[in-house]
Amino acid sequence: MSAADALLARDFSTLSDLVAAHAVDRGDHVAIVDGDARIGYAAFDAAVSCGAAALRRDGVRPGDRVAILAGMSARYVEMFLAILRAGGVAVPLPPGATVDQLATMLADSGAALLFADAAQASRIGDATDVRIVPLEALDPWMAGAVRIAATPVAPGDGFNIIYSSGTTGTPKGIVQSHAMRWAHIQRGRLAGYADDAVTLLSTPLYSNTTLVSMIPALAFGGTLVLMRKFDAGGFLDLAMRHRVTHAMLVPVQYARIMAHPDFDAYDLSRFRMKTCTSAPFSAALKADILARWPGGLVEIYGMTEGGATATLAAHLHPDKLETVGRPVEGHIMRLIDDDGREVGVGEAGEIVGRSVAMMTAYHNQPRLTADATWVDDAGHRYIRTGDIGRFDADGFLTLLDRKKDVIISGGFNIYPSDIEIVLRADPDVADAAVVGVPSAAWGETPVAFLVPRRAGVAPGAVMARVNARLGKNQRLADAVVVDTLPRSEIGKVLKRTLRDTYVGMR
C-alpha cells in the first residue's frame, strides 16, 4: 500500500499530508499545469514546505488566518497549501470586490499576512496594515526558510474562511473545518477522482465551487489544469489537449460551451465526470449535455456553509432533470415551515440539513450563526438554507424558490441588500430595491427600482455612480424609476412583484 493510500484509509487525515505522500510515492507525476509550466508533486510539495516554513519564521502560528488575494496561478495553489501546512487558516478573497470590501474582510478575519499578486497589492496596499507578500516575489521571501513538517491539526480546526459579500460592513466569513474538507475528499471517490484523473479548473480559486473540485483532485494525486480566464473555446482546447477527466462548472459556463459552434469537433471522450453547482441548472441544458458530452453529469445542490448536500446523477436519472436529486449518503435533509415544524412529502418548506460537512460558524457573527441554525427535537443542529423545496415520492428534491432574495449571477451570490445600501446613499435616490431578473448570459442579473428625490432623475446616471462603488460581480444591469415601491401590509417590499413587472416590461 502506498503512503497516500494508507492516509486515505484512515478515519481522518489532511490534504497537506496527502500532498506530501504523493511527493514520496510519485514525485515526478504532474500535480499542476499552469500555461506552459508543469509542476510535479515533489516540486509542488517542496514549494509548500518552504512557504510553510517562511510563514512560521514570520510569526504565523497554528490557527492564525492568512489571506490570499490574486488571480488563478500555481503559486496561489502552493501558498494555499503552505498556509495549511503551517497550521494556519486560509482566507481566499475575491479580487472583484471593492477596496473597502476587501479591507473589511481582512480586518474581520484578523489576517496575520496577505499573499497578493502585483495588481491586487497595488489596489489594497494603502487600505490595510496587514503585511503583504507579493506572489511574484515568493522565492526571495522563502529564501533561507528551513523546511518543516506539517503542523498537526484536529478535525475541528479551521481549514479556510470564505467570505460572502461585504459592502454592509458586516461580511459573513464562513468557517470550514478540516473535518468538512475531509468529508469532501472521501466523497471524491464516488466522482472517480484518482491518481490518473486530470481536473480542469476554470472558476476562481476563492470560490467554494472551485475548492470542492481542487481539494479531492490533489488529495487523490491527480493533475490540476489551471485556466486563468474562462472562455468556451479555450476550455474545449484545454480539455482535449490535456485529456481532461473532470470539471466543475457553473450553468452559465455549460451554456456557453454547448453553444460553441465547433463543440462537436472536440474529442472529450476522456471525461469521467462533470459536475455543476452554484445556480439554477435548466433541465433542457442538462439534457443537451447528456446527449452530446461523454461521461457522467452530476448536479450538486448545497451551500458553502455546508449542512446537507443533494446530488442528481443526471446520466442515471434522465427522468428527474427538473430536480436537484436526493441527499447524499450520510446527509440528512428536512423541510420546515415558518414555525420550524417539519412538513410532509409533497409539501413545500425551507430546506435544512446536517452532516459531517458543516461550517463551524460565521466568523465573529454569533447572531448570524444562530439565525442560520435549526435544532430538531433530539437536539441535532441543522443549517438553514433559506431555499424552499419539495420532495417527491421518490425522495428527489425540487427547488421552488429562495426564501432569501439572493441573486445568483454567473454562479456567484449577490446580496441585494448590499447594493440597496449603496443606492440609498446616492443623493438622487429616496428609496430603492434590487431584484434578480433572468439573464441569458449570467443566469440572473441585478436590476434596481429607484424612487427619485426629485423629478428628472436619470436612472442611467445613478446606475453609473452606483456601479463605480460596487464589486465587479455586483454591478447593476439596469435601473428603473418608479413612483413608489410595492409593499405588503407590514411594509415589506414585494420583490416578486418588481421582478414580474420588469420581465413584463421587456
Side-chain angles (χ1 to χ4, degrees):
M1 179 183 290
S2 70
D5 286 340
L7 291 175
L8 287 165
R10 293 182 179 178
D11 291 335
F12 173 72
S13 189
T14 68
L15 178 61
S16 170
D17 286 347
L18 284 165
V19 167
H22 293 310
V24 172
D25 294 338
R26 309 162 69 235
D28 291 336
H29 186 73
V30 176
I32 302 174
V33 176
D34 185 7
D36 294 331
R38 283 165 172 72
I39 303 166
Y41 268 94
F44 176 41
D45 183 67
V48 169
S49 286
C50 287
L55 286 168
R56 295 298 297 272
R57 178 202 64 203
D58 287 5
V60 173
R61 295 292 176 257
D64 284 353
R65 277 77 63 196
V66 178
I68 312 178
L69 178 62
M72 182 181 289
S73 71
R75 305 247 75 171
Y76 190 125
V77 179
E78 290 168 354
M79 289 307 101
F80 194 109
L81 268 291
I83 296 166
L84 301 178
R85 185 161 294 179
V89 181
V91 185
L93 299 176
T98 67
V99 170
D100 287 346
Q101 291 169 343
L102 292 169
T104 298
M105 294 175 199
L106 280 169
D108 180 74
S109 72
L113 184 143
L114 169 66
F115 292 111
D117 59 27
Q120 294 299 328
S122 65
R123 292 179 65 217
I124 194 67
D126 293 335
T128 181
D129 294 329
V130 177
R131 181 187 174 191
I132 299 175
V133 175
L135 286 181
E136 294 84 354
L138 284 180
D139 290 336
W141 174 72
M142 293 188 295
V146 178
R147 290 180 62 175
I148 62 170
T151 301
V153 297
D157 290 344
F159 182 104
N160 62 259
I161 300 175
I162 293 180
Y163 275 93
S164 64
S165 181
T167 50
T168 61
T170 55
K172 292 188 294 185
I174 300 165
V175 182
Q176 297 170 316
S177 68
H178 281 269
M180 183 175 181
R181 292 307 190 186
W182 180 246
H184 292 161
I185 290 170
Q186 292 299 309
R187 208 164 68 214
R189 294 182 187 278
L190 301 176
Y193 286 104
D195 58 12
D196 62 343
V198 180
T199 301
L200 178 49
L201 300 184
S202 61
T203 49
L205 286 170
Y206 66 83
S207 166
N208 192 58
T209 295
T210 312
L211 295 179
V212 296
S213 181
M214 181 190 88
I215 289 169
L218 292 175
F220 286 94
T223 298
L224 290 179
V225 178
L226 307 185
M227 186 176 191
R228 296 195 177 202
K229 184 175 176 58
F230 174 81
D231 71 89
F235 178 94
L236 291 166
D237 286 339
L238 287 172
M240 187 168 76
R241 187 187 332 148
H242 294 288
R243 300 168 66 81
V244 167
T245 62
H246 290 73
M248 168 74 86
L249 298 160
V250 297
V252 167
Q253 291 174 311
Y254 276 113
R256 293 177 181 176
I257 291 168
M258 300 309 295
H260 192 280
D262 298 324
F263 175 86
D264 294 318
Y266 286 90
D267 179 6
L268 305 178
S269 60
R270 294 282 292 179
F271 266 92
R272 295 177 196 165
M273 191 64 67
K274 304 171 295 298
T275 47
C276 183
T277 189
S278 298
F281 194 15
S282 75
L285 182 54
K286 294 177 203 176
D288 189 26
I289 296 166
L290 291 176
R292 296 199 288 143
W293 193 336
L297 173 65
V298 173
E299 180 178 11
I300 301 172
Y301 167 71
M303 298 178 68
T304 302
E305 290 89 336
T309 297
T311 60
L312 173 69
H315 52 291
L316 300 179
H317 300 284
D319 59 330
K320 296 288 189 179
L321 299 187
E322 298 286 350
T323 78
V324 294
R326 293 183 285 203
V328 302
E329 185 177 356
H331 288 224
I332 303 171
M333 192 173 280
R334 297 179 175 181
L335 305 180
I336 61 174
D337 62 20
D338 289 342
D339 296 320
R341 295 187 296 260
E342 268 194 88
V343 302
V345 173
E347 296 182 73
E350 181 184 357
I351 303 161
V352 299
R354 66 178 269 105
S355 69
V356 295
M358 297 172 69
M359 72 170 182
T360 304
Y362 289 122
H363 186 60
N364 292 335
Q365 299 282 356
R367 182 185 61 79
L368 292 179
T369 301
D371 289 346
T373 300
W374 179 75
V375 179
D376 67 13
D377 292 339
H380 297 131
R381 171 176 167 254
Y382 289 69
I383 299 292
R384 303 183 73 131
T385 67
D387 292 337
I388 304 300
R390 180 173 57 222
F391 282 111
D392 67 17
D394 299 318
F396 285 77
L397 177 67
T398 298
L399 297 182
L400 303 176
D401 202 351
R402 287 192 298 279
K403 195 170 184 178
K404 304 170 185 176
D405 289 311
V406 178
I407 300 166
I408 303 177
S409 182
F412 295 97
N413 286 356
I414 298 172
Y415 294 85
S417 60
D418 290 337
I419 305 173
E420 288 161 359
I421 288 172
V422 179
L423 278 164
R424 291 179 187 129
D426 188 278
D428 286 339
V429 177
D431 201 0
V434 173
V435 299
V437 300
S439 165
W442 303 108
E444 289 183 306
T445 192
V447 166
F449 285 81
L450 315 175
V451 178
R453 291 190 180 278
R454 56 179 177 79
V457 169
V462 173
M463 186 170 75
R465 290 195 297 269
V466 168
N467 280 347
R469 297 181 57 196
L470 295 171
K472 182 179 179 181
N473 294 327
Q474 295 174 305
R475 292 171 188 162
L476 295 167
D478 199 3
V480 179
V481 170
V482 293
D483 293 331
T484 59
L485 297 175
R487 296 180 182 273
S488 68
E489 292 181 356
I490 60 173
K492 182 178 179 180
V493 175
L494 301 176
K495 291 196 171 184
R496 175 171 288 184
T497 300
L498 290 175
R499 189 180 297 114
D500 292 345
T501 297
Y502 185 87
V503 171
M505 292 165 51
R506 293 300 183 267

